[in-house]
Amino acid sequence: MSIGEMLAATVPMARTLNLQFLETTPDKAVVSLPDQGAYHNHVGGPHAGAMFTLGESASGAIVLAAFGDQLSRAVPLAVRAEIAYRKLAMGAVTATATLGRPAAEVVAELDAGQRPEFPVSIEIRRADGAVTGEMSVLWTLRPTDQGK
């Protein structure tokens, strides 16, 4: 099962919005939100909440791609997120996520018994390439022996 298929199967909101996982590697995740009237806002574009979910889902996809081999000893958790809406989004939009730190650094901190944090940056674009939103999500890998 691909990361996109896994997220669609385990994250109900990704299924609800019909997110399409176009590319998922440890270096980049690209996720698309199709144009769907049911998720439009008052001006006919994707609702802010749908765009947030798109960006957060792209960040989750890259985290799983980069750190999936650590899941037996750590749980990835979003710590905080920020989004800035830059231009009016109309039609389908695509989010591209990139890691803000080398994965090897994060794993080294985990190996040292720490609870590493790392940022993921996301750009959301319209079909014409215009950036409609910028988002950052701070993630952590919580060692499973730290409890809940």
Side-chain angles (χ1 to χ4, degrees), residues 39-55:
Y39 306 113
H40 281 179
N41 59 21
H42 62 290
V43 294
H47 188 276
M51 289 178 52
F52 183 94
T53 300
L54 169 67

Side-chain angles (χ1 to χ4, degrees), residues 13 56 74 85 94 98 124:
M13 195 57 141
E56 196 275 339
Y85 301 100
T94 302
T98 55
I124 302 172

Side-chain angles (χ1 to χ4, degrees), residues 21-78:
F21 293 83
L22 306 176
E23 179 181 348
T24 304
T25 70
D27 299 312
K28 179 169 74 169
V30 181
V31 182
S32 179
L33 172 66
D35 186 21
Q36 303 167 89
Y39 306 113
H40 281 179
N41 59 21
H42 62 290
V43 294
H47 188 276
M51 289 178 52
F52 183 94
T53 300
L54 169 67
E56 196 275 339
S57 296
S59 77
I62 198 170
V63 167
L64 288 175
F67 302 109
D69 60 342
Q70 304 300 317
L71 296 180
S72 64
R73 65 183 186 138
V75 177
L77 297 170

Side-chain angles (χ1 to χ4, degrees), residues 7-146:
L7 285 171
T10 59
V11 179
M13 195 57 141
R15 275 194 318 275
T16 297
L17 292 177
N18 300 305
L19 298 182
Q20 299 169 352
F21 293 83
L22 306 176
E23 179 181 348
T24 304
T25 70
D27 299 312
K28 179 169 74 169
V30 181
V31 182
S32 179
L33 172 66
D35 186 21
Q36 303 167 89
Y39 306 113
H40 281 179
N41 59 21
H42 62 290
V43 294
H47 188 276
M51 289 178 52
F52 183 94
T53 300
L54 169 67
E56 196 275 339
S57 296
S59 77
I62 198 170
V63 167
L64 288 175
F67 302 109
D69 60 342
Q70 304 300 317
L71 296 180
S72 64
R73 65 183 186 138
V75 177
L77 297 170
V79 175
R80 71 174 167 266
E82 290 184 9
I83 191 165
Y85 301 100
R86 300 290 184 207
K87 290 188 177 190
L88 183 62
M90 298 299 282
V93 289
T94 302
T96 302
T98 55
L99 283 179
R101 290 182 59 199
E105 277 183 16
V106 175
V107 172
E109 287 180 12
L110 188 63
D111 290 342
Q114 299 172 7
R115 182 175 170 164
E117 290 188 352
F118 54 95
V120 175
S121 298
I122 305 103
E123 280 192 338
I124 302 172
R125 295 180 179 270
R126 299 186 302 224
D128 67 2
V131 175
T132 63
E134 295 172 325
M135 187 172 178
S136 64
V137 180
L138 184 66
W139 285 84
T140 188
L141 294 179
R142 187 194 76 210
T144 53
D145 62 358
Q146 284 189 353

